[in-house]
Amino acid sequence: MNRVHVVKSILWGLVGLSLAVAISRFAFGLGATTNLTDTTPWGLWIGFDVMAGVALAAGGFVITALFYMMRRKEFHPMVRPAVLTAFLGYVAVVCSLMVDLGLPWNIWHMIVFWNPHSPLFEVGWCVMLYTSVLLLEFSPVPLESTSRYAKIREFLMKFRFPLVLLGIMLSTLHQSSLGSLFLIMPFKLYPLWYTDILPILFFISAVGLGLMMVSFESLVSSWIYGRKPESHLIAKLGKAAVWVLSIFLVVRFVDLAIAGKLGLIFSGTWESLLFIAEIMIMAVIPIILFAIPKTRHSLAGQWIGSFLVVFGAIFNRINVGGLTMLSTTGDSYFPSWMELSISFGIVSFMVLVFLFAIEKFHIWDDRPREAESDPHARPQFSRGGEVWLGAPAVAGRTKYSFAFVIALAIGFMLMPGTKLHSSGVENVPTRAARGGDTLFVDGNRDGYGVAFKHQFHVDTLGHEQSCVRCHHMNLPQDKNSGCFTCHSQMYAAVDAFKHDWHNSPNGANITCSECHMDGENRTAASAKHCDACHTDLIPAGATITIEQYMAPAYTDAMHDLCIGCHREIVAQQPEKQAIALCAACHATAGPEYLRADVRERLKRPEYNHVVLPGVSLEQPE
Amino acid sequence: MSVAILTDVTRCIGCLECVAACKKQNHLGLDVPRTWQNNDGLSAQNWTSILQKPGPDGAPTYIRKQCRHCLEPACASACPVGALHKTPEGPVMYDNDKCLGCRYCMMACPYGIPRYDWDQQVPYVRKCIMCYDNVKAGDQPACTKACPKEATIFGTREELLAEAHRRIKANPGLYIDHVWGEHEVGGTSVLYISDISLDFLCYQPNLKTSLPSTTSTAMKSVPFAFVGMGGVMLGLNWIIKRRQKLQGEHTEEEGHQ
């Protein structure tokens, strides 16, 4: 296995995994595959794939501006890789948008329905136009491989200069408009990042990043093929990046100073630490590295410097794209493994296309060849494949397809079997008459619910042994099993009070005035209460407490196991009144504050039926 | 003349009649509470909800949450295809057929109102539409119709603002002297008066300017940036080309000598 084979196999594996996830995303919806919520509707796919993807494609317009506009002819070896990277970056953005958009088949609406007030409208148009321009800019390269398309190529070459110019103009708009996207959220974005000049900051940083992205990509692809990178050119780009990044730093800090936000940097919040880290990684350290001639010309200095800028810029886009909004929205978000694998998969596929283009077309002056692998792996029947793709492509193919198929299979295995996979059901709001038997379970939180008869369930499911069937001690926060565990049709609309049934001749057959008093508005609020007729609904002496979002059933279950006997004893021996009081067991409120002697007694074997397995009786710290 | 809703928090008894009426009117389905929902009870199937907060005397106070129908809605300004728009009558409407699911409206809303059909394969954005069909027909929304305590009432915005200020003036001891929605983010069509602060309804309560204006400068400068960058590039190219040509001639001349 040589380096090319290892890298390509890993990439193919990642592509396979993401393909399986992409299928489940469309089969089950966004909720099942992502960790996105109503408060965090944009996640990794926007913050990384779209925001950072566009930023990483900045190399294309920066290098073409240097080469064609500023006529720096020495950068010629970098033009083709840079344009190719930009094109693939934009294709990656389009791919991830197709996964992220809720209704991707409506993407063409952007062309028909216009809203020029929206920065996203500008972003959309820039993506469409610039991707097309990049395709036209790059297409002469594959066309030159055969003479058959020479005429088309010549025709395209005539428009090279205007196309490049248009590409630079569109990039200017697009890089800055990604910053404009967040101008509408002054209430959400952390003040250290929110500024009116966000579009300008995005543009300047994109220029700096573009320079370094081209360098980094040259270093990485050269490493894969074991060739010498264009170190003298990278050093020149590094020198330019020092200037651009310094301008970025000055603008960033002057803007913060004018807005009076400099103090926030030292406020010690996690955002301020994030800011310091971002500035150091993205600008300060690379500026120092590339300002010193010795590190600028050394391979290690170039690797570290360009990596830091690329990493720091991705970091910056993710920060603006949502990370620094979390403290405002009060929501936590971390991408699910499926979101991560889609992101990695798209990037991997673009890298594979890049490597393919490097091998097949005249991207570099010295075209690398994938080393021959085991000749037995070459399918004997595939004459066509060899003619069209060449022998080396066939040789490596067995390994890649193996990695691809295995990863695809793993992806399908891990695929969520249910829509609820990454989004569990919340606690069902339950109200109960304390000490009473009927629980009021409001599954859909609309105020109407199901009357749940606890004793009936105990009797039906096997008396004292039945508790564990619903009150699983291993569920977090002592949650009880939802009704749907047994009643899969639980979420049918049930109106606890059937009004129609009450006044129907076939039902209770009572008149209006029996519940709605004369001289009152006929509303639910002024009507006679249920327990006026159904006297057994709430047991005498019970007080109703409304515990929204918390199921009180567990407390009731625990109490029933003890209080029942205590009451029986009091009924027979009235002088033992004290053992029925709360203070008989509890030192203060809460189950964890059981009196020490009660706690000790519960450890005895005759109380095994009271204490369920897994309950700790040790004193809480 | 635009219509509005005024909710008087002091009158609400939390009976949830409005929530049930909303579900019935808009044919909303059943809702399984999921982790992707915020705890405010709103969801793709619940367009209004009742929040419970402790009141000044400790007793529970109920606050109805719903879309605020901003006078200059950030969501409508953000939508790239104009699927959301402010109708002349007042409600902010959503068009299923235009939406492409980018969820920028959800990011842009200062009240965090729009919800998404996360569990659907064909998902849409969901929020209160102030029962637009009713409003257009001269009727009132289902929620205000259902309220037994007249805690949430319907009318024109001017009328309701006057009523809100009248109530505050008539009972200054009870109300906080503030009409939520009168000026926030450029004003909203859903107004609140209350005896507890309702600042928690908004991400940033002291936001007075309308949000669409924040992006307008950037959007207006788009053509200038576009043409400007083209001009700068062409100019640079011309200057450098000329300089290189002159240098070339110069060296040529030197070569001749």
Side-chain angles (χ1 to χ4, degrees):
Chain A
M1 290 279 265
N2 63 24
R3 201 180 276 170
V4 183
H5 280 128
V6 174
V7 171
K8 281 191 179 176
S9 303
I10 294 171
L11 294 175
W12 273 112
L14 288 169
V15 173
L17 190 64
S18 72
L19 186 67
V21 173
I23 290 168
S24 74
R25 177 254 171 272
F26 285 102
F28 299 114
L30 283 165
T33 35
T34 67
N35 280 350
L36 298 174
T37 60
D38 284 322
T39 25
T40 313
W42 282 3
L44 182 78
W45 292 341
I46 298 291
F48 172 72
D49 293 76
V50 175
M51 301 275 293
V54 169
L56 294 176
F61 88 93
V62 175
I63 292 295
T64 51
L66 273 176
F67 180 75
Y68 290 103
M69 298 300 150
M70 301 183 193
R71 303 176 71 87
R72 298 287 296 264
K73 298 297 172 196
E74 69 269 31
F75 288 111
H76 182 257
M78 286 194 155
V79 173
R80 285 183 167 190
V83 173
L84 178 59
T85 313
F87 174 61
L88 294 177
Y90 271 77
V91 174
V93 168
V94 173
C95 289
S96 48
L97 275 178
M98 287 296 136
V99 185
D100 181 78
L101 288 179
L103 309 161
W105 46 88
N106 284 351
I107 186 82
W108 56 273
H109 284 187
M110 203 90 88
I111 304 170
V112 186
F113 306 112
W114 284 32
N115 180 15
H117 298 292
S118 169
L120 195 60
F121 173 76
E122 186 195 347
V123 169
W125 270 94
C126 285
V127 171
M128 285 189 281
L129 290 177
Y130 190 44
T131 311
S132 319
V133 167
L134 281 169
L135 180 66
L136 292 175
E137 253 183 70
F138 182 71
S139 52
V141 176
L143 290 180
E144 78 192 358
S145 51
T146 67
S147 56
R148 199 184 306 173
Y149 307 112
K151 280 233 168 90
I152 305 174
R153 191 172 172 275
E154 262 171 43
F155 178 74
L156 282 170
M157 289 299 277
K158 272 185 205 160
F159 297 100
R160 164 143 290 191
F161 189 83
L163 273 177
V164 166
L165 183 65
L166 187 63
I168 295 168
M169 289 155 80
L170 284 171
S171 278
T172 312
L173 289 195
H174 192 201
Q175 296 292 349
S176 56
S177 63
L178 280 181
S180 316
L181 273 187
F182 295 89
L183 287 178
I184 204 161
M185 303 166 206
F187 53 89
K188 245 186 199 175
L189 199 56
Y190 195 77
L192 275 174
W193 281 271
Y194 185 85
T195 155
D196 293 337
I197 60 161
L198 211 50
I200 299 171
L201 285 177
F202 262 58
F203 177 70
I204 303 176
S205 58
V207 174
L209 168 66
L211 295 167
M212 285 297 96
M213 181 60 195
V214 175
S215 315
F216 185 64
E217 165 240 291
S218 159
L219 288 167
V220 172
S221 47
S222 301
W223 174 80
I224 292 176
Y225 289 105
R227 100 192 235 283
K228 236 179 94 60
E230 294 96 348
S231 289
H232 59 292
L233 292 179
I234 295 174
K236 280 186 181 171
L237 293 176
K239 209 171 173 181
V242 170
W243 286 103
V244 178
L245 292 174
S246 304
I247 294 170
F248 173 75
L249 269 188
V250 170
V251 176
R252 187 95 164 84
F253 277 93
V254 167
D255 175 62
L256 284 176
I258 291 171
K261 290 175 185 166
L262 280 178
L264 279 176
I265 302 172
F266 307 104
S267 61
T269 57
W270 67 273
E271 284 97 346
S272 67
L273 299 178
L274 210 61
F275 174 84
I276 294 169
E278 181 195 301
I279 288 291
M280 294 302 284
I281 297 172
M282 185 183 171
V284 177
I285 302 175
I287 288 176
I288 297 170
L289 279 177
F290 284 114
I292 304 167
K294 200 181 163 195
T295 48
R296 184 167 69 229
H297 290 282
S298 79
L299 199 59
Q302 291 177 353
W303 265 100
I304 297 169
S306 57
F307 173 76
L308 284 180
V309 176
V310 169
F311 179 79
I314 295 175
F315 194 38
N316 169 261
R317 299 308 196 252
I318 289 175
N319 285 340
V320 176
L323 191 58
T324 61
M325 297 178 191
L326 293 184
S327 58
T328 314
T329 56
D331 196 17
S332 67
Y333 165 80
F334 190 83
S336 68
W337 71 267
M338 289 178 271
E339 286 178 88
L340 287 166
S341 66
I342 287 269
S343 290
F344 286 133
I346 290 173
V347 173
S348 302
F349 188 67
M350 294 311 144
V351 174
L352 281 173
V353 177
F354 184 82
L355 298 182
F356 172 82
I358 279 185
E359 286 167 16
K360 292 291 164 280
F361 308 126
H362 188 79
I363 309 284
W364 287 341
D365 292 335
D366 51 329
R367 196 186 302 180
R369 291 236 167 248
E370 189 178 288
E372 290 276 339
S373 87
D374 181 12
H376 299 295
R378 195 184 302 174
Q380 297 303 309
F381 51 86
S382 180
R383 292 288 298 165
E386 284 185 26
V387 169
W388 291 102
L389 299 167
V394 181
R397 203 190 277 168
T398 20
K399 284 169 199 161
Y400 310 147
S401 46
F402 183 70
F404 179 79
V405 170
I406 291 291
L408 189 73
I410 292 173
F412 277 119
M413 256 163 58
L414 297 174
M415 195 191 269
T418 155
K419 279 196 211 175
L420 301 176
H421 180 76
S422 62
S423 47
V425 175
E426 291 259 333
N427 274 356
V428 173
T430 307
R431 308 173 195 175
R434 189 164 291 278
D437 180 54
T438 306
L439 298 176
F440 189 71
V441 184
D442 180 9
N444 54 1
R445 291 184 184 171
D446 64 351
Y448 300 100
V450 180
F452 173 81
K453 287 188 176 152
H454 190 264
Q455 190 59 44
F456 175 78
H457 282 78
V458 172
D459 294 342
T460 321
L461 295 173
H463 303 289
E464 276 164 18
Q465 280 72 47
S466 68
C467 304
V468 276
R469 291 204 174 186
C470 304
H471 303 282
H472 290 274
M473 302 311 294
N474 53 352
L475 287 183
Q477 296 172 342
D478 291 344
K479 269 187 208 168
N480 55 334
S481 311
C483 307
F484 56 85
T485 314
C486 306
H487 303 275
S488 54
Q489 292 300 310
M490 166 205 168
Y491 290 107
V494 174
D495 193 337
F497 177 74
K498 291 177 180 160
H499 187 274
D500 291 348
W501 184 85
H502 274 82
N503 67 6
S504 154
N506 299 325
N509 196 16
I510 53 176
T511 59
C512 303
S513 59
E514 282 186 56
C515 296
H516 298 286
M517 305 303 159
D518 289 335
E520 293 263 8
N521 285 334
R522 284 185 179 172
T523 64
S526 62
K528 198 188 273 182
H529 284 273
C530 307
D531 58 343
C533 303
H534 302 276
T535 47
D536 55 340
L537 190 68
I538 301 169
T543 53
I544 291 184
T545 52
I546 296 170
E547 299 274 350
Q548 210 147 10
Y549 308 128
M550 282 290 283
Y554 175 61
T555 318
D556 287 346
M558 285 290 98
H559 276 167
D560 276 357
L561 288 169
C562 308
I563 295 172
C565 293
H566 284 224
R567 284 200 183 131
E568 275 175 32
I569 294 168
V570 172
Q572 290 156 10
Q573 299 162 284
E575 71 278 10
K576 287 196 174 175
Q577 199 71 291
I579 64 163
L581 298 176
C582 304
C585 303
H586 293 280
T588 55
E592 63 274 33
Y593 295 108
L594 278 176
R595 263 173 34 191
D597 58 321
V598 176
R599 195 186 303 278
E600 284 309 310
R601 190 181 301 175
L602 286 175
K603 286 179 184 170
R604 283 159 35 189
E606 60 263 38
Y607 289 101
N608 275 354
H609 73 285
V610 177
V611 182
L612 294 168
V615 178
S616 167
L617 285 170
E618 298 312 311
Q619 185 72 35
E621 290 304 315
Chain B
M1 189 201 75
S2 73
V3 295
I5 287 175
L6 171 67
T7 298
D8 187 338
V9 167
T10 63
R11 292 193 182 192
C12 181
I13 55 166
C15 70
L16 297 148
E17 285 290 338
C18 49
V19 179
C22 172
K23 271 183 175 279
K24 204 170 179 184
Q25 164 91 26
N26 296 299
H27 308 290
L28 300 183
L30 304 166
D31 190 23
V32 185
R34 299 273 170 76
T35 44
W36 57 64
Q37 290 170 13
N38 204 352
N39 267 343
D40 62 5
L42 290 184
S43 77
Q45 308 295 348
N46 269 11
W47 295 355
T48 183
S49 68
I50 300 284
L51 306 180
Q52 191 181 330
K53 296 267 166 188
D57 55 350
T61 300
Y62 303 99
I63 303 107
R64 183 157 85 93
K65 190 167 181 174
Q66 65 172 118
C67 172
R68 300 294 287 268
H69 298 280
C70 304
L71 298 185
E72 292 173 70
C75 55
S77 154
C79 181
V81 290
L84 286 147
H85 69 283
K86 178 90 176 165
T87 55
E89 291 89 347
V92 176
M93 288 295 292
Y94 169 75
D95 189 347
N96 277 1
D97 297 336
K98 280 188 183 174
C99 182
L100 47 84
C102 68
R103 308 188 291 284
Y104 190 26
C105 51
M106 301 174 70
M107 291 294 285
C109 178
Y111 295 101
I113 294 293
R115 300 290 129 142
Y116 208 57
D117 282 331
W118 294 108
D119 51 350
Q120 298 295 314
Q121 285 90 333
V122 183
Y124 296 105
V125 172
R126 294 288 177 224
K127 68 168 201 70
C128 161
I129 52 168
M130 225 199 247
C131 297
Y132 185 56
D133 287 344
N134 285 13
V135 170
K136 235 180 10 186
D139 199 0
Q140 55 172 325
C143 51
T144 57
K145 213 192 283 182
C147 183
K149 295 285 287 179
E150 294 189 337
T152 183
I153 54 173
F154 178 77
T156 69
R157 192 165 184 269
E158 295 74 27
E159 223 170 78
L160 290 180
L161 266 178
E163 169 68 12
H165 284 293
R166 193 193 61 73
R167 283 190 199 177
I168 292 173
K169 210 170 271 175
N171 204 342
L174 176 63
Y175 294 103
I176 294 175
D177 186 14
H178 185 75
V179 180
W180 278 270
E182 188 175 9
H183 300 298
E184 281 90 350
V185 290
T188 64
S189 293
V190 173
L191 308 161
Y192 289 88
I193 49 175
S194 167
D195 54 348
I196 60 165
S197 171
L198 299 185
D199 288 347
F200 64 88
L201 286 176
C202 190
Y203 282 127
Q204 196 177 323
N206 51 4
L207 212 62
K208 295 291 177 226
T209 52
S210 74
L211 290 170
S213 64
T214 54
T215 52
S216 62
T217 324
M219 293 311 292
K220 272 177 199 152
S221 54
V222 162
F224 302 104
F226 187 67
V227 177
M229 182 47 90
V232 167
M233 281 297 140
L234 278 179
L236 265 178
N237 184 37
W238 184 79
I239 294 169
I240 294 171
K241 196 174 184 177
R242 194 175 149 77
R243 195 199 287 162
Q244 283 178 345
K245 202 176 164 191
L246 285 176
Q247 267 176 355
E249 278 172 10
H250 198 60
T251 46
E252 233 168 70
E253 278 168 22
E254 278 175 352
H256 278 295
Q257 285 167 354

